[in-house]
Amino acid sequence: QVRLVESGGGLVQPGGSLRLSCAASGSIFSLFNMAWFRQAPGKERELVAYITSGSSTNYADSVKGRFTISRDNAKNTVYLQMNNLKSEDTAVYYCNAGDYSKILPPYNYWGQGTQVTVSS
């Protein structure tokens, strides 16, 4: 139905940058709201950023000014550019797609996650 595959995670030093990608297949990507979540060990999964089908964006306070979410509908891909990374950014990052135009569920899809580790 809908498959999301994240990539771009890895190990980076504090102050470094990473760009995460999430490629969607089996969907009408341009109609989806897209989001990035993250979950650190022992922590609840939290919303990092989202971008609507109309390209409006919002960010968690902890990442404002450092992270940028964007989308390329021609490539069915959403990105998360992460700059000035901090140790507290260490988490598994998950891509999420929301299709609320449907009249039947499912309306929400998840990728399997990609690990981001910011080492000191």
Side-chain angles (χ1 to χ4, degrees), residues 28-108:
I28 306 175
F29 181 81
S30 62
L31 300 179
F32 286 6
N33 297 323
M34 302 296 298
W36 288 96
F37 290 75
R38 68 186 181 187
Q39 187 167 23
K43 302 289 186 179
E44 188 175 350
R45 186 173 298 186
E46 64 174 344
L47 176 66
V48 177
Y50 72 81
I51 183 167
T52 69
S53 60
S55 296
S56 297
T57 60
N58 274 283
Y59 299 89
D61 288 342
S62 60
V63 307
K64 285 180 179 177
R66 300 189 297 120
F67 290 11
T68 302
I69 188 170
S70 61
R71 65 193 298 158
D72 186 339
N73 290 341
K75 297 181 179 179
N76 286 1
T77 301
V78 64
Y79 305 95
L80 185 67
Q81 179 66 47
M82 304 185 294
N83 298 326
N84 192 24
L85 283 160
K86 306 176 184 298
S87 60
E88 53 263 40
D89 296 318
T90 296
V92 177
Y93 284 71
Y94 297 91
C95 181
N96 174 267
D99 182 5
Y100 300 104
S101 69
K102 295 169 63 178
I103 60 174
L104 293 174
Y107 307 118
N108 208 35

Side-chain angles (χ1 to χ4, degrees), residues 2 4 11 17 19 27 42 50 52 80 92-93 106 116:
V2 175
L4 304 175
L11 177 65
S17 298
R19 188 184 71 166
S27 64
Y50 72 81
T52 69
L80 185 67
V92 177
Y93 284 71
V116 172

